[in-house]
Amino acid sequence: MAKGWYIVHTYTGYENKIEKTIRQKLEAGELDSSVITEVKVPVEEVIEIKDGKKKSRKNKFLPGYIMLEMDLPDIGWKSICSGIRSIQGVTGFVGTNPTQRPRPISNEEAKNILMKSGDIKGEKTVRITQAYSVGDQVKINEGPFASFSGAVEEIYPDKSKMRVMVQIFGRATPVEVDITQVEKLVQ
């Protein structure tokens, strides 16, 4: 037996309800807590910028799936897996049919998903939803260049950063800022 992360396919929108049901069954002793050690619904933080105001919300980035950390035994795995499959809204384990032993995802895949959701230390990703394009006039609200205005010269969506040309001492100077530090100016 070796611990691993397994992906369970669910009806979309039922993820939190199924997570709660699994936790209740673990507490009641209907599922073995020595086998199922963790239940997660992977979510990511999304910052939405509207009218210059930031709103943070959590989005499921794997809708229709939950993650189970299990130490699945070689003998008796069928009863454990059928107990999970019998929960209303669960369609099964990803990559296998009900007669096959489920396979865990790789450690690297699990690490990437858990980092993206901020469950393990590392680069927690925050997705920004604001449409900027090259040439847009923006005002910098935060940081050392607060109150400067300029034109967007380049956008780096993977880093959530942009390069803005601002006027410093009468010269156009490129400044790299975080997307959350700027506000689009109405033209």
Side-chain angles (χ1 to χ4, degrees), residues 102-122:
R103 289 177 298 229
I105 60 174
S106 72
N107 289 334
E108 191 62 34
E109 287 174 313
K111 182 181 171 189
N112 287 340
I113 292 170
L114 293 171
M115 261 206 301
K116 189 172 182 183
S117 63
D119 290 321
I120 59 174
K121 301 252 187 272

Side-chain angles (χ1 to χ4, degrees), residues 46-50 55 57 59 127-131 179:
V46 176
I47 296 175
E48 194 171 39
I49 302 172
K50 278 189 180 175
K55 292 181 185 173
R57 62 185 160 99
N59 266 11
R127 201 164 41 98
I128 313 289
T129 58
Q130 171 67 35
I179 288 178

